[in-house]
Amino acid sequence: MKTNELKLVYFSPTGTTRRVVMETARHLGLKSVSFDFSVYKTKKPMLKFNETDFTLFAAPVYGGRVPALFTEYLENITGRNTPAALIVTYGCRDYEDALLEMKTVVESHGFKVIGAAAFPTEHSIVRTIGARRPNKEDMKVIADFGVELNRRIKKEASFDQIDIHVPGNTPYRKYSSSSFTPKTDASRCTECGSCARVCPAGAISLKDPKKTDSKKCISCMKCIRICKQYARNVSPLKMRIAEGKLKKVCQNDRQADIFL
Ligand SMILES: Cc1cc2nc3c(=O)[nH]c(=O)nc-3n(C[C@H](O)[C@H](O)[C@H](O)COP(=O)(O)O)c2cc1C
């Protein structure tokens, strides 16, 4: 089967998943089109892909699951026996049911999964965990994943016989929304609105960026990273407690799991 175009469908609030996707794509060596769902869209776009497309789906792990916001976008994307690969990135704790969940959703929408990977990275909430990962060695493993996918696409006449198994359990882990809603330091905020414009959940008011809807906020940390005034943050006490807890359950030297 000739593959014409690579479709990159991803969610990456703080940019790590995007880095992993781009490195994989570079080694897939196909013309690519990106669908980045890290910026809030009130209307979820409907996308239809063909048998001659190859789709790379990618997201960070939130509480051992695929972020619910990303699954909402996936609901509107359909394939026609379209080959696909899956990537999850996670902050050196665990990815539990995330790959299984992503595989189940995309396969129910007409995609055929021919490869999957879970890559340990820097933790986007507590950045001392897995700090600066993916590092040079990680990038090599990610590149090799892209090369292997490319080989598989070129070699196989049909993908029907391929049956990828990924870890995970059903029912999936219950995700209780994270309690790390960032607050605004009014003395620093210049109301420039950058945080509101980039928020993937549309949780920050465009009219008054000092206001955050904690029910909509997914605690992705994007507003903290984008704010040039350092006006957005989670309370230092909360962060210290989170760091203490996470340090007990995360391993900075976790290695990638590849399923081919
Ligand atoms: C709300 C939230 C929940 C997270 N849950 C997990 C988790 O269950 N396991 C884990 O190892 N890392 C977890 N992480 C860390 C991210 O999965 C990881 O840092 C990811 O690479 C961030 O991707 P991004 O830079 O593309 O946003 C979580 C991060 C956030 C913000």
Side-chain angles (χ1 to χ4, degrees):
M1 174 79 54
K2 178 147 175 38
T3 307
N4 291 330
E5 199 167 61
L6 175 61
K7 312 283 190 188
L8 307 174
V9 178
Y10 59 92
F11 182 67
S12 181
T14 56
T16 311
T17 309
R18 185 178 186 281
R19 267 185 76 198
V20 174
V21 168
M22 293 307 162
E23 185 65 2
T24 309
R26 209 158 66 84
H27 290 84
L28 263 156
L30 290 166
K31 188 173 73 148
S32 68
V33 184
S34 288
F35 301 91
D36 178 356
F37 294 119
S38 323
V39 173
Y40 185 62
K41 291 176 178 52
T42 29
K43 201 160 176 276
K44 310 275 178 285
M46 306 277 279
L47 302 173
K48 284 198 169 69
F49 300 150
N50 294 317
E51 214 172 346
T52 54
D53 292 321
F54 183 68
T55 310
L56 202 53
F57 291 100
V61 173
Y62 283 4
R65 302 278 305 271
V66 177
L69 210 57
F70 186 55
T71 2
E72 277 176 37
Y73 287 103
L74 294 184
E75 287 302 325
N76 283 352
I77 304 176
T78 37
R80 213 180 290 158
N81 207 21
T82 308
L86 315 177
I87 290 175
V88 294
T89 69
Y90 67 103
C92 294
R93 188 188 65 75
D94 206 344
Y95 57 95
E96 279 112 351
D97 304 329
L99 272 182
L100 180 65
E101 183 180 14
M102 196 186 274
K103 181 171 185 276
T104 307
V105 175
V106 305
E107 286 190 340
S108 71
H109 283 255
F111 292 89
K112 173 75 191 175
V113 174
I114 67 157
F119 295 110
T121 61
E122 178 173 294
H123 200 295
S124 48
I125 299 179
V126 178
R127 298 182 71 183
T128 48
I129 293 170
R132 289 181 290 282
R133 291 188 74 183
N135 55 29
K136 216 166 137 195
E137 289 78 41
D138 295 323
M139 288 307 245
K140 171 86 182 68
V141 179
I142 295 162
D144 287 348
F145 179 58
V147 169
E148 191 49 43
L149 289 174
N150 181 32
R151 200 189 58 79
R152 184 160 275 201
I153 296 168
K154 284 195 177 138
K155 193 186 84 178
E156 307 287 342
S158 146
F159 301 113
D160 292 347
Q161 300 308 313
I162 296 176
D163 192 11
I164 301 291
H165 288 269
V166 296
N169 293 298
T170 52
Y172 304 133
R173 281 167 65 93
K174 203 170 151 24
Y175 182 63
S176 41
S177 58
S178 173
S179 56
F180 291 94
T181 303
K183 300 262 180 303
T184 305
D185 177 343
S187 67
R188 285 178 179 265
C189 179
T190 57
E191 300 187 7
C192 70
S194 323
C195 55
R197 282 192 295 277
V198 301
C199 174
I204 306 172
S205 163
L206 273 164
K207 278 194 195 132
D208 180 2
K210 292 194 187 95
K211 282 193 187 144
T212 306
D213 182 338
S214 60
K215 287 205 186 86
K216 283 189 183 169
C217 173
I218 57 165
S219 306
C220 70
M221 307 289 130
K222 191 173 186 176
C223 56
I224 296 182
R225 304 278 181 98
I226 205 88
C227 180
K228 290 203 172 75
Q229 314 302 325
Y230 303 101
R232 306 268 310 169
N233 50 60
V234 175
S235 95
L237 176 65
K238 245 187 192 176
M239 289 302 278
R240 267 202 306 281
I241 295 171
E243 184 165 18
K245 280 188 185 163
L246 280 173
K247 279 204 161 144
K248 288 188 191 136
V249 292
C250 295
Q251 290 158 278
N252 288 335
D253 59 351
R254 281 201 69 148
Q255 296 303 307
D257 289 331
I258 311 276
F259 307 93
L260 283 164

